[in-house]
Amino acid sequence: SRPGSRAPLVIPSAYAHFGVMARPVLLPVVGVVAAIYAASVAFVGAPQGAPRVSRVPARVSAEYLERLGPKDSDVPFDAGQATGPGASVEFKKRPFGILRYQPGQGGKGAMAMEIIPKSRYPGDPQGQAFASGVQSGWVVASINGQNMLTEDFGKIMDLLDDEVADPRFSKSTALALEKQGGRLAEPAAAPLAVQFNSIPGYVYKGAEMKEDGQDGFAR
């Protein structure tokens, strides 16, 4: 061989079949890994260094409370009493930064519970609620001008479409959706105009949210 040139790689006959098997498998594996990585970051467009966790909307209200059930600190409420001051917010993209909602008495209405208490970077979807001044314990009064105080909790969840998908529940959620007969409402198109009202005298008793170095804020 010429000086400086690399000698051809010789694979012993005893191992040759491993090379033959590896080549057709490698590309599909790389493709799958690339697709998973792209899906994990494409939704929020987070800058390099942000926690790489799934932020894809679940797009279903079926068994919402099975996945994001109530806590001992939750205080029962009547959505019809949400007549106090709040905030009018325009959510430009999903998710909004509200990790959980609680239904009111009789399954009517929806109250914002855990809210991510920061915006990680300009335009962070998960910081929209915080940046707009939304507070835990406020009730969804209207969506795009439609009154929500007397609507079923499941319908409000479908309209907001604000749940972050958890792959652990993908199969059970699909079965629950089929049993339910489909969605209760189609997601409202973004941007969404959402009015939040407070309940006079209501005191939110949830714990302060803590940030995890790997997954960020979680309920």
Side-chain angles (χ1 to χ4, degrees):
S1 61
R2 295 190 302 274
S5 63
R6 294 183 178 180
L9 179 61
V10 177
I11 301 177
S13 58
Y15 299 97
H17 67 284
F18 289 110
V20 173
M21 293 296 292
R23 281 194 293 272
V25 173
L26 179 59
L27 288 179
V29 171
V30 172
V32 170
V33 173
I36 293 174
Y37 175 79
S40 69
V41 299
F43 183 78
V44 299
Q48 188 174 4
R52 293 187 298 179
V53 294
S54 174
R55 291 290 179 255
V56 181
R59 298 190 175 280
V60 63
S61 65
E63 289 193 346
Y64 178 93
L65 294 178
E66 295 294 326
R67 301 184 298 275
L68 301 173
K71 295 185 175 181
D72 293 339
S73 60
D74 290 355
V75 178
F77 71 97
D78 180 354
Q81 297 179 356
T83 58
S88 295
V89 182
E90 181 181 76
F91 292 114
K92 297 181 178 180
K93 60 182 71 174
R94 294 176 169 93
F96 309 146
I98 301 174
L99 297 182
R100 183 172 69 94
Y101 295 84
Q102 175 190 353
Q105 295 177 2
K108 303 294 184 180
M111 175 180 285
M113 303 304 284
E114 288 93 351
I115 297 175
I116 294 179
K118 66 183 292 186
S119 180
R120 300 168 297 171
Y121 54 89
D124 178 16
Q126 294 273 338
Q128 291 179 98
F130 167 77
S132 300
V134 179
Q135 298 181 22
S136 298
W138 282 4
V139 176
V140 177
S142 67
I143 299 176
N144 291 339
Q146 182 181 355
N147 190 313
M148 292 290 121
L149 296 178
T150 59
E151 291 287 357
D152 290 336
F153 177 76
K155 178 180 178 179
I156 299 173
M157 292 300 96
D158 275 340
L159 286 169
L160 291 176
D161 194 26
D162 189 32
E163 180 188 354
V164 175
D166 188 331
R168 295 174 300 174
F169 299 103
S170 59
K171 184 175 181 179
S172 62
T173 299
L175 293 174
L177 180 62
E178 181 179 355
K179 182 179 179 180
Q180 179 177 280
R183 300 177 58 96
L184 301 179
E186 290 301 314
L192 292 76
V194 181
Q195 173 67 40
F196 291 91
N197 287 355
S198 60
I199 297 178
Y202 179 90
V203 178
Y204 175 72
K205 296 184 178 180
E208 180 183 356
M209 294 191 65
K210 302 295 184 180
E211 185 172 15
D212 180 87
Q214 177 64 30
D215 297 327
F217 290 95
R219 64 180 299 276

